[in-house]
């Protein structure tokens, strides 16, 4: 599914917590605050569709051959099996096509991400990229100055990590000479 705007939520900083809607993140556990453009995985969606197409057609052809063999025993049974197989194949291909088109048609979003020292991450968006860039500075200031408090209204979206690139991917092999990020 393409991302959907859930609507406005409050992003606020109290003396020791960053609140994103109903989720609280201790300021001392925030590892990184940054903005980036969240892009759909269009290439992967096309490759996933082609893979599904190949597998679905291969299974359909194999089952059609088996249905043809069953037709030697009973003409009605063999014809029913083949019809059922190709109707199922058509349904699977339509589903895969709709899934691919939803990713291809999905827009990119400029987002603000807050990563903690653990596995959790918060993502918010705004129709104004400068607003998010300004919030990065305000949150960083709040981390350095625990008495800071503020509250702003931002948008949030629901996304499937399967369909979007989320930040940098770093694959590291070995322990020496690893510098930089390759795109």
């Amino acid at each position: 599914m393409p991302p959907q705007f859930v609507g406005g939520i409050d992003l606020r900083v109290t003396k020791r917590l960053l609140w994103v809607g109903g989720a609280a993140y201790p300021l001392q556990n925030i590892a990184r605050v940054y903005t980036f453009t969240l892009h759909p995985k269009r290439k992967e969606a096309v490759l996933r569709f082609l893979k599904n197409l190949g597998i679905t057609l291969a299974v359909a052809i194999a089952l059609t051959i088996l249905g043809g063999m069953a037709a030697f025993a009973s003409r009605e049974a063999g014809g029913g099996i083949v019809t059922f197989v190709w109707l199922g194949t058509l349904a699977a291909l339509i589903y895969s096509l709709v899934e691919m088109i939803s990713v291809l048609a999905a827009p990119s979003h400029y987002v603000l991400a807050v990563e903690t020292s653990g596995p959790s991450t918060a993502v918010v968006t705004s129709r104004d990229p400068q607003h998010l860039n300004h919030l990065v500075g305000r949150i960083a200031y709040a981390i350095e100055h625990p008495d800071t408090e503020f509250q702003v209204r931002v948008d949030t979206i629901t996304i499937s990590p399967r369909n979007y690139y989320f930040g940098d991917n770093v694959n590291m092999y070995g322990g020496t000479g690893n510098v930089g990020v390759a795109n």
Side-chain angles (χ1 to χ4, degrees), residues 21-38:
Y25 299 88
L27 289 173
Q28 69 269 15
N29 288 355
I30 294 176
R32 180 166 79 154
V33 179
Y34 61 105
T35 57
F36 68 97
T37 303
L38 190 64

Side-chain angles (χ1 to χ4, degrees), residues 16 26 55 62 98 111 119 145 149 164:
R16 300 178 60 144
I55 290 171
V98 168
V111 297
H145 302 89
E149 293 188 10
Y164 278 86

Side-chain angles (χ1 to χ4, degrees), residues 136-158:
V136 168
R138 290 184 72 182
I139 293 170
Y141 183 84
I143 292 170
E144 292 177 351
H145 302 89
D147 291 338
T148 304
E149 293 188 10
F150 66 89
Q151 179 173 341
V152 294
R153 193 85 171 149
V154 291
D155 293 323
T156 185
I157 55 175
T158 57

Side-chain angles (χ1 to χ4, degrees), residues 32 34 36 115 165-170 181-183:
R32 180 166 79 154
Y34 61 105
F36 68 97
E115 294 180 359
Y165 293 106
F166 187 76
D168 298 329
N169 286 331
V170 178
V181 175
N183 291 327

Side-chain angles (χ1 to χ4, degrees), residues 1-4 99 102-103 106 158-160 163-164:
M1 293 291 296
Q4 299 175 357
E99 187 179 59
S102 70
V103 175
T158 57
I159 59 166
S160 170
N163 296 334
Y164 278 86

